[in-house]
Amino acid sequence: MNQAPGLPSSGLSRSVEDYLKAIYQLSADGQPASTSQIAELLDVAPPSVSGMIKRLSEQGLLDHARYRGVGLTPAGRRAALRMVRRHRILEAYLVDRLGYTWDSVHEEAETLEHAVSDRLIERMAKALGNPLFDPHGDPIPDAHGRIEELIYTALTEIPKGETVEIHRVATSQAERLKYLGTTGLTPGTTVTVLDRQPFDGPVTIESPAGEQVVGHELGRLILCIRNSPGGAQPE
C-alpha cells in the first residue's frame, strides 16, 4: 500500500493539485479566494484561472459563487491538504536531513511534491519524528488530514513592552527568508517589542541578537504567539 491512510492519492493532475493548494492557502483566513489572487499566486492569466475554476467546480472540488470568489469543498480540501502535507514534509526533510537552508527549499519541494510517492512521504515523516511544523513554522497536516492551527499575531500588532515568541514566517520568498535568517528572526526566537511607530511605521525590538528595527512590510509577515489569550485551534 503506497498511500497515507487518511489522505488517499488524489488521481489529479499536477495543475489541478497546484490550484487546490493555492486556493487553500489563499482562503486559510476563511475568506474566499479571488480569481486575481489565484492568478497572481500561480503566475497564470486570469482567463485560464476562470476556466479551471469552472472545471473544478463541475468536479465537485470547489464552491464558486459569481463575484464572491471560490472556496474548497470537503473533497477539494482533502486533496489540498494532501499536497500541503507533502510540500511541508519535504521542506522539513530537506532542511533537517540534507542540509538545505530554509530559504532554498520551497522551489525544490514544489517540484518534488508531485513526483514522490505517498509511501516515501510517510517514511520521511516518520524519520523526522512526525513534525507538526515545517522550517518556516507552517503547520503540517497529519496523515489523516488533520491540521493544527494556532492563533497568530503579526509582529507589527504586538503591543509595546510585550515579549513574544516568533512562531511562523508567512513568506516563501528566498531573499526575505535569507535576510531574516541573518538577523535571527526565525521561528523559536523570543523578542520584546520596544517601540512601534504609527502609520505603518517600523517596529523596534530586542532579540537575542540585540536591538533591531523591523520595517512594517516585513514585520507583518513575522507571526508570533502571545502568552495570552491564544492556544491551539485544531480544525
Side-chain angles (χ1 to χ4, degrees):
M1 185 172 181
N2 293 325
Q3 59 196 48
L7 293 175
S9 177
S10 65
L12 303 173
S13 70
R14 172 173 180 160
S15 177
V16 169
E17 290 175 336
D18 284 341
Y19 267 85
L20 295 176
K21 188 174 68 155
I23 292 167
Y24 172 81
Q25 293 169 345
L26 291 169
S27 60
D29 61 357
Q31 298 299 315
S34 69
T35 298
S36 60
Q37 287 176 320
I38 299 169
E40 181 179 2
L41 183 58
L42 294 177
D43 193 24
V44 295
S48 298
V49 175
S50 298
M52 181 63 85
I53 287 173
K54 183 176 185 296
R55 174 185 164 193
L56 297 183
S57 297
E58 292 171 348
Q59 293 179 9
L61 297 172
L62 295 182
D63 284 322
H64 179 217
R66 191 171 177 84
Y67 304 121
R68 295 181 58 186
V70 298
L72 298 169
T73 64
R77 178 177 169 80
R78 286 194 296 273
L81 284 171
R82 173 177 177 269
M83 297 310 299
V84 170
R85 174 172 173 78
R86 293 164 73 86
H87 184 95
R88 294 177 180 175
I89 287 292
L90 283 164
E91 288 195 334
Y93 194 88
L94 289 169
V95 169
D96 188 80
R97 298 303 173 92
L98 299 184
Y100 279 70
T101 56
W102 76 329
D103 56 274
S104 65
V105 291
H106 179 72
E107 292 302 323
E108 291 278 16
E110 283 286 296
T111 300
L112 291 170
E113 68 188 31
H114 299 284
V116 298
S117 68
D118 288 333
R119 174 176 291 178
L120 179 57
I121 290 294
E122 296 315 310
R123 289 192 174 186
M124 286 179 173
K126 184 177 180 181
L128 294 170
N130 294 308
L132 298 177
F133 302 95
D134 75 5
H136 311 107
D138 295 314
I140 299 174
D142 70 13
H144 300 279
R146 295 184 294 258
I147 185 169
E148 183 177 42
E149 293 288 3
L150 303 178
I151 297 173
Y152 301 105
T153 304
L155 182 62
T156 51
E157 302 299 322
I158 302 296
K160 180 179 177 180
E162 188 166 320
T163 299
V164 294
E165 179 184 331
I166 297 173
H167 200 278
R168 187 177 185 182
V169 177
T171 182
S172 59
Q173 293 185 15
E175 290 305 313
R176 285 179 172 175
L177 290 170
K178 186 179 296 184
Y179 173 76
L180 289 170
T182 63
T183 62
L185 300 180
T186 56
T189 301
T190 299
V191 301
T192 300
V193 175
L194 302 179
D195 191 30
R196 290 171 53 194
Q197 295 298 314
F199 309 114
D200 293 343
V203 178
T204 304
I205 62 171
E206 182 74 30
S207 75
E211 188 172 312
Q212 297 175 265
V213 178
V214 181
H216 188 272
E217 182 179 357
L218 194 60
R220 67 184 177 84
L221 301 176
I222 300 173
L223 305 181
C224 306
I225 297 292
R226 302 177 66 184
N227 290 330
S228 63
Q233 296 283 306
E235 291 195 345

